[in-house]
Amino acid sequence: MYAIVEIAGQQFKVAKDQKVYVHRLQGEAGSKVTFDNVLLLDNEGSVVIGAPAIEGASVTAQILSHLKGDKVIVFKKKRRKGYQKKNGHRQYLSEIQIESIAVTGAKKSAKKVAAPKKEAAPKAEVKKASTDYSSMTVAELKAAAKEQGISGYTSLKKAELIDALTK
């Protein structure tokens, strides 16, 4: 029996009692972790594929140790320019051992249920009692004139627009 499970953003094919190196996991060495995002299960020939994950399936593992991976050398060079950069990197890893693969019966981590949205009360139309037209731009004044149905507003200047709107 094996499973394909997503652990720390990567997919791994795991089987019982297998040791796997994964990106650093939260938790102390010796603690148990459960992975609910099982993408595929193979139980002696019967394959179950999730869409995207299998409901109720989980993989339980124990963290054996935290360590650093091998050094990776990053070397950048641009020819004929005298540009060279050398950099190294060691990835933080966790060694885990798969203890069990559960096909059903795993409890999914509780998701927060959103409260039902209240219907918004209809907004009352607010009529402007007095508008300060002198602080508005010409474009805003022309839009206000268009809303009020004033004809010939496109050729009017700012002062003429204010006069037409205040009447």
Side-chain angles (χ1 to χ4, degrees):
M1 175 177 205
Y2 71 88
I4 296 179
V5 63
E6 184 175 344
I7 302 172
Q10 293 182 321
Q11 295 177 8
F12 293 93
K13 179 182 176 183
V14 296
K16 189 172 183 329
D17 298 328
Q18 181 183 6
K19 291 183 181 178
V20 182
Y21 292 100
V22 298
H23 287 301
R24 180 69 58 103
L25 297 174
Q26 298 294 325
E28 299 295 322
S31 64
K32 296 189 187 303
V33 290
T34 303
F35 305 107
D36 295 330
N37 201 3
V38 179
L39 307 173
L40 182 137
L41 276 171
D42 181 10
N43 191 2
E44 289 123 26
S46 64
V47 178
V48 179
I49 299 174
I54 300 170
E55 292 294 324
S58 69
V59 174
T60 305
Q62 181 179 8
I63 299 175
L64 299 177
S65 64
H66 296 294
L67 52 117
K68 290 172 82 173
D70 295 333
K71 181 174 270 196
V72 177
I73 303 297
V74 180
F75 185 73
K76 299 179 182 180
K77 179 180 180 176
K78 296 190 184 207
R79 62 184 191 157
R80 297 188 301 269
K81 305 295 182 205
Y83 172 79
Q84 293 181 348
K85 292 284 179 191
K86 183 179 178 183
N87 197 354
H89 174 72
R90 291 185 72 185
Q91 185 67 39
Y92 290 101
L93 301 172
S94 293
E95 183 181 14
I96 62 172
Q97 183 171 9
I98 306 301
E99 292 185 339
S100 67
I101 299 173
V103 178
T104 58
K107 293 183 180 178
K108 193 79 170 176
S109 54
K111 293 183 181 179
K112 294 181 182 176
V113 178
K117 294 181 180 179
K118 296 179 182 177
E119 293 185 24
K123 295 181 181 178
E125 293 184 25
V126 178
K127 293 186 179 180
K128 296 180 182 176
S130 62
T131 306
D132 184 20
Y133 292 117
S134 60
S135 65
M136 296 174 76
T137 64
V138 176
E140 292 170 341
L141 289 170
K142 286 183 179 180
K146 184 177 180 181
E147 288 176 8
Q148 290 186 6
I150 298 173
S151 60
Y153 65 89
T154 56
S155 61
L156 297 177
K157 295 182 180 174
K158 185 173 183 176
E160 295 169 344
L161 282 169
I162 292 172
D163 289 339
L165 289 170
T166 55
K167 290 183 183 177

